[in-house]
Structure formats: structure tokens, C-alpha cells
Amino acid sequence: MPLKLTVSDEVRALVPGFTHLAIEARGLVNGPSDAISSALLDEAAARLAARLDGRTPDQDPHVAAWRAAYTAFGAKPSRTRNSAEALARRASADGGLPRINRLVDAYNAISVAHLIPVGGEDLNRIEGGMRLVRATGEEEFVTVQGGQETVEHPEPGEIVWCDERGVTCRRWNWRQGPRTRIDDDTTDAVFLLESLDPMTREELLTAGQELADALQKVSPGALITVRDPE
């Protein structure tokens, strides 16, 4: 049964034009980064450089729209950058893009190539559906600091993704929690591409299809379903 994804009316009202596209993949085989996933990241970095053409990532219209969205719910976009901008900055730095594992490399490559936030969650670790809401401040976000598990609480009004157990990602797509993170044991996952105006529906669909193709490259034989944008 497909994972239920809902966006609250409060979020829709605060940030009109938000659209997400979900890709569900089952029967995945993950593992350490390899030549295929590294090539995806290298190609993405080259595409990013051509797209920016000497500009900084925050000067891209889509990244600028995400910065405005973060400001709207009270975050400071230069301190807590959306995931697409953060990755783009790493791609442009001396160390380049990190190599995490094959599945994460695949969706990071699409994020960088299209300057769009992309996240991945292990379907078998999500409890119930996933909701994008404005936090009350009482929700729990379990993370790790200094090697120790710790519980944080989002700020009231902060936009978060959550499931029945708690927050899975803080400040929209800024920091993912370890509970649902994709690792080497992941076999079923949902990947979420998140867009704002001025990114068009056609551009979002193109990015989604590229991710589906990339997942087939890093994990041949997986059953992949691209859902309609919502």
C-alpha cells in the first residue's frame, strides 16, 4: 500500500505553490558508494557549475524561493540552509560532494543537478503516514549528538515532516533524523522531491524521472513507482 503523504493547510497557506513528488522503491539493494554512484555525483556537480555559471547557489531563483520560504516560518536561511543549497555549496567547495552510499548518492546527485531538495526515508522505519505540518513545539525529534542519542523539540511554527512517532526532518528539509535514514540495510524507500515556484511541474517531473533512472542504475531490478506531483 502506498505511503500516505499529507501537507497541512497551514503550510499551504504560508507557502503557496509548494509541490512534492514521491517515488517509492521496493526491492532495493544498497551498499557503499561505487563507481556508478560516484559518476552520478560527478556529472551532477558539472551540471550545477554550468547552471550557476559563476553565481552562488543563493542567486538561483529556486534556491531564492526556498530561502523566502524558510524566512516565512521563522528560520534564518543563511544559518539553516535548505538541503539543496547546502549540497550545492559542498559541490562547489574543495572537498566536493560526499560519498555516503549508493542510494543516498543517487538522490543527492538529482538534488544538485536540479537544485531541488530531495530526501530519502526507509519505508520500513516510518510509522503510519508522513505529514508536513507547522510544529506545536511539543513534538519529539530524536537525533544523535556527541555519539549520544538526544531528544530535541522543534520551535513552535517550524515546518517539519513527521510520522506517528515523531519528527523525521526538522525545518522542512534541513536536518533528517537517524531513525528513518537510508542505510546499507534499506530495501524499501520513499524519495521526496520538493519544489516551489518558479520550478514548473514539467521540470519537477523531469527531475523525478531522472531519479527513477538513477535508482535503477545503482540498484538494478528494484520496483520503482513515480507518483503524481501533489
Side-chain angles (χ1 to χ4, degrees):
M1 185 173 181
L3 177 71
K4 185 177 181 181
L5 294 160
T6 58
V7 179
S8 73
D9 291 340
E10 284 186 313
V11 172
R12 296 281 190 197
L14 185 70
V15 188
F18 169 66
T19 306
H20 66 272
L21 182 153
I23 296 175
E24 291 193 20
R26 299 181 185 273
L28 294 162
V29 178
N30 199 10
S33 302
D34 59 12
I36 295 174
S37 68
S38 291
L40 291 171
L41 290 169
D42 289 340
E43 179 190 0
R47 290 171 65 182
L48 173 69
R51 173 173 176 154
L52 292 177
D53 192 24
R55 297 175 298 156
T56 55
D58 58 287
Q59 293 175 301
D60 182 88
H62 196 223
V63 174
W66 275 104
R67 282 182 153 243
Y70 269 48
T71 300
F73 69 81
K76 293 185 168 134
S78 293
R79 182 182 301 172
T80 55
R81 295 185 174 96
N82 70 83
S83 63
E85 181 179 355
L87 269 178
R89 286 178 174 272
R90 294 194 70 172
S92 304
D94 290 340
L97 288 166
R99 271 58 174 167
I100 309 297
N101 58 54
R102 291 198 298 268
L103 297 178
V104 174
D105 290 352
Y107 76 72
N108 279 350
I110 298 306
S111 177
V112 168
H114 292 269
L115 272 180
I116 179 175
V118 183
E121 306 279 358
D122 189 310
L123 277 170
N124 295 317
R125 297 172 191 161
I126 296 170
E127 297 192 10
M130 289 184 63
R131 297 170 289 121
L132 187 66
V133 301
R134 300 200 71 183
T136 65
E138 298 297 318
E139 299 88 350
E140 291 190 351
F141 177 72
V142 180
T143 186
V144 176
Q145 291 185 355
Q148 298 293 319
E149 187 175 283
T150 184
V151 176
E152 298 177 354
H153 297 276
E155 299 169 7
E158 181 182 326
I159 294 181
V160 297
W161 278 104
C162 58
D163 65 2
E164 296 303 321
R165 185 169 168 184
V167 173
T168 58
C169 197
R170 284 200 59 187
R171 295 193 180 116
W172 211 323
N173 47 51
W174 168 63
R175 184 198 292 172
Q176 183 184 29
R179 173 171 60 89
T180 58
R181 187 177 296 160
I182 289 174
D183 60 22
D184 286 354
D185 296 325
T186 297
T187 58
D188 304 318
V190 60
F191 301 90
L192 200 63
L193 296 83
E194 301 181 292
S195 72
L196 298 172
D197 293 335
M199 190 174 199
T200 66
R201 178 185 175 90
E202 289 71 25
E203 289 170 333
L204 177 59
L205 286 167
T206 296
Q209 188 56 57
E210 283 191 21
L211 178 52
D213 294 342
L215 292 171
Q216 285 287 5
K217 286 181 180 179
V218 299
S219 183
L223 178 61
I224 297 171
T225 303
V226 180
R227 291 165 57 170
D228 289 335
E230 298 181 30

